[in-house]
Amino acid sequence: MKYYITLIFVFSLAFAKAQLIGTLTGTQGDSLAFASIYIKGSYTGTTTNNEGAYTLKLPKFGDYEIVYQSLGYAPETIKVNYQKENQVQNVILKEQATSLDEVIVNSDENPADRVIQAAIDNREKNRLKFSSYKANFYSRGLWRMNDVPESFMGQEIGDLDGSLDSITRSGIIYLSETVSKIAYEAPDNFKEHIIASKISGDDNGFSANSAESADFNFYNNNIDLNNRIVSPIADYAFGYYKYKLLGTFFDDNNFLINKIEVKSKRPNDNTFEGIIYIVEDQWTIYGLELTTTGMNINVPVIKEITFKQDFSYEESNKDWVKRSQSIDFSFKFLGFKGNGRFIANYTDYNFNPQFEKDFFGAEVLSFEEGANKKDSLFWKKQRPVPLNTEESKEYIKKDSIAAVRNDPKYKDSIDAVNNKFRLLDPITGYSYRNSNKNYSITYDGIANFSGFNTVQGFSINSGLSYFKGFDEDYNRTLYLGTKFNYGFSDDRLRYTFTGNYRFNRTNRRYLGFKAGTEVRQINNSNPISNLENSLSSLLFERNFAKFYEVDFASINFGQEVVNGVFVNTSVSYERRQPLTNTEDQVWFPQDDIDYTSNNPLSLDLGRQAIIDDHEILKTGVSLTLRPGQKYQSYPNQKFNISNEKYPTIVLNYEGGFASSNDNYNFHQFKASLYQGFDLGNLGRTSYYANAGTFLNADNISFVDYQHFNGNRLRYKLQAVNPYGFGLLNYYDYSTNKDYAQLHVQHDFKGFILGKIPVLNQLNYDLILNGKALFTERKPYFELSAGIDNIGFGNFRPFRIDYVYSMTSGRNYGAFVLGFNLGF
């Protein structure tokens, strides 16, 4: 088999120059995947693919010492007389024999603990050794699906653009490669310039593989994988791991290497398990193979993630550098199963770079022009890790499929099938698409139930929309649409017209308008969802949501002015009108409860909550500042990266003018500050602070008051809002005076519950919240403790919080059940 693989690569690299090729296997003929191969004493190297095949670029003909190393095998240094292009050098490595003879066993000390403690003591020094460097980087990513169902929730899945075999329902759905140049300067300056990017079957696509996203440094205390997973050599690692010395061996540079088994002290904790190799005396990482699970990282759909890293000793720097990395993962959810792998290869390090003064900046990633247009000859020359048989076939298959599917005639034929009108389309909806001209027309149907409220009764929505992309990448787009809403009880048909033009995806400039008639909650941020209000009303006869009607027309404009500075503006005309209850239907009537009026009548301090008929012009300006924001520059697109070192600042102005009631004119100024940051193994903290004031607003309409997101339900059918209140009445604290609120949340990410016997088997999260609200009334405070990630298997949408409310001598507590179902 290994000779067959070699012949494949000899043929496929026939046009490549100055390359040594071959396969690396064990003594049993097993392929050694992702092993490191490099010229001794240099940073020129490569990595084997998962079939053990490799290609090593050599600068010229001559004699070389080539090092072959793979974790678990004794490294070999082979002298090669390189005389011809694509010379074959197959190598067999023996399994690494380990011994405990070098260890002096003390009955009072675990020898592995001694090594790990020394590695911990030297962790920070080793982390900071390479404070700056340049290197060449290569990455390849692959996602594979296995046994995909033919339909999901009544929808045909199909073959995923030719990715799935029609019989086995399996296949590669994503294959990509990246070649780039990277630069780093401590503590956090990073820059990557992508030379080439390739996605199978997508000539216009750009790979998501980047060096920064692949930078998993086990010299850091934690590895960020949704949860902060504790490194086996973290400062506090002994609180999470137990260690066993499996043996020692000498490498080809005569360094003593300790092979140590790593095990978690508690199941489902934020930890790894596997093997780590530590160099005696230098206490650096020689290599590692560590696995964590989806339960550990609180992403149950993931089954396992395995990291494998390989380091080599460099005589010139007297230190160890990372040569290669592979990340293998598997997943399973609702009948979908699959796995994948991302590999990274680092070559041509320069640890003494001379950076210009302005070399680093906010831009951390950029693309060479035509990076996604490199031909196969380029890839054959530049790809350091050869494709395996499956990947080679995948490129051929997907490129052939893409050539067919990009043909205008093929697109027309597919559109003709998908655009056929069906019998139930007037009820369920219909969409017409022209793929060649990049536009679509969509009718929503009338089977679009939007809920129940006491103002409209049951209501349904429908609509008609047009969407147009003006280029292949949909950077410039136009949306035009109209929405209809009909309430059966008040027998009213309401409608809105919407238009939005996006100029680009770089600074996200947009211009939009909206006009029509609609029913709105008095608190326009909609603290109660339609589904929550429907259930609360029909099941418990509690109509907490309060509404008014508005005829309106508005224009909106916004863009990112400079990096990290966003401006949004709006001008609108509104005619507000009161609404009254028209429906008292309830499924389970209760003798001691009746529906309340549509106006929030539980107000005090002489405030008037009733909405009267009036007109007003409104304007708004919002300025968002994200200090330290970095970004990735894709062709025709910009991806912003928030900097957790700094909070996001939002400044707002809202004004009412030319009202039909002069008392309703007003000005409001407010500012918000929010931030989230990690606290290592202690979890993650976030906060939100908001304050504002009104001018000339003593008698304004209650609609224009500052409202706060309260809650009187004992359940939430949406993601729990960390910046809302758990027990606050919806409108009791609404104000037209000065106000301020503060919300602080800490998610322990398993730090507490993961250490309690029995509970640590359940993979729950403990979340604490503190909230405060200050208005002209006496202050309002809340404290809460919640348990998140409740459920079974991969289905964990539930959360329960105990909330304690304190205000005006009226203190009480209650449980609130949350369903994070995304409504």
Side-chain angles (χ1 to χ4, degrees):
M1 179 66 181
K2 65 181 181 181
Y3 300 108
Y4 171 71
I5 295 171
T6 299
L7 288 174
I8 291 176
F9 285 102
V10 169
F11 177 78
S12 65
L13 299 171
F15 297 99
K17 305 297 183 183
Q19 294 186 127
L20 184 70
I21 65 176
T23 58
L24 188 62
T25 60
T27 54
Q28 303 300 316
D30 46 321
S31 300
L32 300 186
F34 313 113
S36 293
I37 301 168
Y38 58 94
I39 302 172
K40 188 172 184 178
S42 80
Y43 297 119
T44 300
T46 187
T47 305
T48 61
N49 64 19
N50 69 328
E51 293 175 340
Y54 74 92
T55 63
L56 176 63
K57 291 191 293 183
L58 299 173
K60 60 183 179 180
F61 297 133
D63 294 327
Y64 297 91
E65 286 187 282
I66 310 297
V67 179
Y68 297 82
Q69 69 177 49
S70 180
L71 290 181
Y73 292 84
E76 288 280 352
T77 301
I78 296 178
K79 293 182 179 180
V80 175
N81 179 233
Y82 184 64
Q83 296 181 337
K84 60 181 180 179
E85 298 166 2
N86 299 317
Q87 185 171 310
V88 177
Q89 181 69 52
N90 296 321
V91 177
I92 299 175
L93 296 185
K94 298 178 181 178
E95 290 188 16
Q96 179 70 66
T98 61
S99 170
L100 292 173
D101 293 343
E102 302 297 328
V103 180
I104 300 176
V105 178
N106 185 326
S107 59
D108 296 329
E109 182 183 32
N110 179 346
D113 290 352
R114 174 192 67 84
V115 175
I116 293 297
Q117 185 60 63
I120 293 173
D121 293 341
N122 288 271
R123 179 193 64 79
E124 185 66 9
K125 180 184 71 174
N126 287 323
R127 188 180 73 86
L128 297 175
K129 276 183 177 177
F130 301 114
S131 59
S132 64
Y133 64 81
K134 288 184 177 180
N136 291 334
F137 175 78
Y138 169 81
S139 177
R140 183 155 75 237
L142 179 148
W143 287 63
R144 182 188 296 103
M145 298 298 297
N146 301 317
D147 192 24
V148 176
E150 294 186 359
S151 62
F152 180 71
M153 298 184 69
Q155 298 295 317
E156 291 290 330
I157 294 175
D159 64 358
L160 300 181
D161 291 330
S163 297
L164 300 180
D165 181 273
S166 59
I167 298 176
T168 64
R169 303 293 297 164
S170 64
I172 296 174
I173 61 170
Y174 177 79
L175 173 62
S176 68
E177 296 178 271
T178 296
V179 173
S180 61
K181 294 184 178 296
I182 60 176
Y184 170 76
E185 183 179 58
D188 57 6
N189 282 328
F190 187 86
K191 192 169 187 177
E192 179 176 10
H193 184 64
I194 293 181
I195 308 299
S197 178
K198 181 178 177 68
I199 299 179
S200 65
D202 188 354
D203 292 337
N204 296 314
F206 291 91
S207 168
N209 312 343
S210 69
E212 192 168 30
S213 64
D215 184 24
F216 295 97
N217 188 346
F218 284 81
Y219 286 116
N220 292 330
N221 278 319
N222 301 283
I223 308 298
D224 191 359
L225 297 170
N226 185 55
N227 251 3
R228 305 284 280 183
I229 309 301
V230 178
S231 167
I233 58 171
D235 293 340
Y236 33 78
F238 281 107
Y240 290 83
Y241 294 104
K242 50 188 176 182
Y243 306 92
K244 179 181 179 181
L245 182 63
L246 299 180
T248 62
F249 60 89
F250 287 94
D251 75 343
D252 57 344
N253 292 298
N254 209 33
F255 285 103
L256 181 65
I257 312 299
N258 299 279
K259 182 180 181 181
I260 296 175
E261 181 183 52
V262 177
K263 279 190 169 294
S264 178
K265 284 187 173 182
R266 294 169 293 274
N268 300 329
D269 211 345
N270 50 330
T271 52
F272 295 96
E273 291 197 350
I275 305 293
I276 188 169
Y277 298 82
I278 302 295
V279 182
E280 189 80 13
D281 296 329
Q282 293 194 349
W283 313 116
T284 56
I285 298 173
Y286 172 84
L288 57 85
E289 189 168 357
L290 298 170
T291 298
T292 190
T293 69
M295 300 297 284
N296 298 124
I297 66 175
N298 278 354
V299 184
V301 65
I302 299 291
K303 292 178 65 179
E304 286 187 347
I305 304 178
T306 297
F307 289 83
K308 183 178 178 181
Q309 292 184 350
D310 198 6
F311 294 72
S312 68
Y313 181 72
E314 299 305 325
E315 184 66 33
S316 59
N317 281 288
K318 306 294 183 184
D319 222 318
W320 300 78
V321 297
K322 183 165 65 176
R323 290 282 188 178
S324 64
Q325 172 182 275
S326 65
I327 305 172
D328 290 80
F329 59 91
S330 58
F331 55 91
K332 180 180 179 181
F333 185 69
L334 296 178
F336 294 84
K337 295 186 293 184
N339 57 72
R341 173 183 296 118
F342 283 86
I343 63 173
N345 178 255
Y346 303 83
T347 58
D348 301 321
Y349 280 106
N350 174 8
F351 289 107
N352 296 292
Q354 300 300 314
F355 295 124
E356 297 176 1
K357 182 179 179 181
D358 299 324
F359 181 82
F360 292 101
E363 184 184 61
V364 298
L365 183 144
S366 61
F367 282 79
E368 182 177 288
E369 185 176 354
N372 64 337
K373 303 299 182 183
K374 304 295 185 182
D375 59 21
S376 58
L377 181 60
F378 170 89
W379 285 102
K380 289 174 182 177
K381 288 182 177 180
Q382 297 298 323
R383 181 184 289 127
V385 183
L387 300 174
N388 62 30
T389 306
E390 181 187 34
E391 291 164 342
S392 297
K393 291 180 178 178
E394 172 67 10
Y395 272 130
I396 295 172
K397 182 182 78 170
K398 283 290 180 65
D399 289 346
S400 299
I401 292 174
V404 172
R405 297 194 174 190
N406 288 331
D407 183 275
K409 293 182 179 179
Y410 177 83
K411 290 182 178 181
D412 285 340
S413 66
I414 294 298
D415 286 344
V417 174
N418 293 334
N419 292 340
K420 286 184 178 179
F421 193 81
R422 296 170 178 81
L423 182 63
L424 294 179
D425 285 349
I427 298 174
T428 60
Y430 172 77
S431 182
Y432 175 87
R433 178 179 177 83
N434 188 314
S435 299
N436 286 310
K437 295 184 178 180
N438 292 337
Y439 76 84
S440 62
I441 300 173
T442 301
Y443 160 64
D444 295 337
I446 59 174
N448 190 0
F449 173 67
S450 60
F452 171 89
N453 62 65
T454 54
V455 169
Q456 297 175 283
F458 289 98
S459 64
I460 59 173
N461 293 326
S462 188
L464 186 66
S465 62
Y466 169 83
F467 179 80
K468 167 70 175 177
F470 293 97
D471 48 51
E472 280 188 344
D473 298 325
Y474 287 87
N475 293 300
R476 290 191 302 121
T477 60
L478 172 67
Y479 172 85
L480 298 173
T482 180
K483 296 289 184 182
F484 301 94
N485 174 265
Y486 177 73
F488 287 93
S489 179
D490 66 346
D491 192 24
R492 282 289 308 277
L493 177 66
R494 299 175 174 89
Y495 52 87
T496 59
F497 299 97
T498 304
N500 187 284
Y501 180 77
R502 184 176 68 192
F503 293 83
N504 59 65
R505 291 194 294 177
T506 302
N507 66 7
R508 295 172 174 80
R509 182 184 298 131
Y510 74 91
L511 177 65
F513 77 89
K514 189 174 182 180
T517 302
E518 63 185 11
V519 172
R520 294 179 182 173
Q521 284 192 49
I522 293 176
N523 181 348
N524 289 173
S525 62
N526 298 324
I528 314 171
S529 71
N530 285 338
L531 180 58
E532 288 171 337
N533 186 64
S534 300
L535 294 177
S536 175
S537 300
L538 293 170
L539 297 180
F540 307 111
E541 208 167 351
R542 296 179 180 273
N543 56 326
F544 292 126
K546 306 301 179 183
F547 303 93
Y548 69 101
E549 183 173 275
V550 58
D551 302 324
F552 70 99
S554 65
I555 299 176
N556 304 276
F557 174 81
Q559 72 172 69
E560 184 177 16
V561 182
V562 296
N563 181 54
V565 178
F566 304 81
V567 172
N568 292 279
T569 61
S570 65
V571 178
S572 63
Y573 159 82
E574 296 181 7
R575 179 189 176 191
R576 288 96 168 252
Q577 302 160 76
L579 292 173
T580 58
N581 290 342
T582 63
E583 179 62 80
D584 60 0
Q585 181 180 167
V586 61
W587 291 345
F588 302 100
Q590 302 181 53
D591 294 337
D592 57 339
I593 297 177
D594 291 308
Y595 281 132
T596 60
S597 164
N598 182 51
N599 289 303
L601 300 178
S602 60
L603 305 179
D604 52 20
L605 302 180
R607 294 176 297 166
Q608 178 61 265
I610 297 175
I611 309 301
D612 63 348
D613 194 329
H614 66 277
E615 298 173 274
I616 193 169
L617 293 177
K618 293 189 71 175
T619 184
V621 179
S622 174
L623 178 66
T624 301
L625 308 174
R626 294 178 180 168
Q629 174 181 279
K630 296 187 177 183
Y631 63 91
Q632 298 177 338
S633 294
Y634 278 69
N636 302 320
Q637 191 168 3
K638 177 174 180 274
F639 291 97
N640 294 322
I641 304 170
S642 297
N643 190 332
E644 291 192 349
K645 291 183 178 180
Y646 308 100
T648 295
I649 304 165
V650 183
L651 306 175
N652 294 93
Y653 165 77
E654 183 182 50
F657 303 90
S659 175
S660 57
N661 183 332
D662 290 340
N663 292 327
Y664 286 179
N665 298 329
F666 72 96
H667 305 281
Q668 182 187 184
F669 300 88
K670 59 183 175 181
S672 302
L673 195 72
Y674 60 90
Q675 184 181 14
F677 50 87
D678 289 309
L679 294 177
N681 66 320
L682 298 179
R684 182 172 178 82
T685 293
S686 61
Y687 68 85
Y688 171 76
N690 167 257
T693 188
F694 285 83
L695 299 178
N696 190 36
D698 290 343
N699 298 300
I700 63 174
S701 169
F702 191 68
V703 171
D704 296 312
Y705 275 49
Q706 178 63 42
H707 306 291
F708 305 98
N709 289 340
N711 177 48
R712 293 184 64 188
L713 303 172
R714 293 300 174 260
Y715 57 88
K716 295 294 291 180
L717 298 179
Q718 54 191 346
V720 176
N721 182 5
Y723 305 145
F725 292 91
L727 296 178
L728 181 72
N729 285 342
Y730 295 107
Y731 297 103
D732 277 4
Y733 277 76
S734 298
T735 184
N736 59 347
K737 309 293 184 183
D738 299 339
Y739 61 90
Q741 59 180 318
L742 175 66
H743 304 256
V744 180
Q745 174 175 285
H746 183 75
D747 185 344
F748 284 95
K749 296 284 186 179
F751 178 75
I752 300 294
L753 300 184
K755 294 174 175 56
I756 301 176
V758 180
L759 283 180
N760 59 16
Q761 304 282 336
L762 302 175
N763 202 33
Y764 292 160
D765 278 343
L766 175 64
I767 300 175
L768 300 181
N769 281 277
K771 303 173 184 293
L773 176 60
F774 304 92
T775 65
E776 69 272 21
R777 303 188 61 175
K778 289 185 178 180
Y780 175 87
F781 301 98
E782 278 186 1
L783 296 174
S784 68
I787 296 178
D788 199 5
N789 204 40
I790 301 173
F792 49 89
N794 293 338
F795 184 69
R796 294 177 168 270
F798 305 113
R799 169 174 168 173
I800 188 167
D801 290 83
Y802 180 76
V803 185
Y804 190 73
S805 167
M806 297 167 283
T807 180
S808 304
R810 182 169 58 91
N811 303 336
Y812 63 100
F815 286 96
V816 178
L817 178 63
F819 302 84
N820 300 326
L821 301 178
F823 293 109

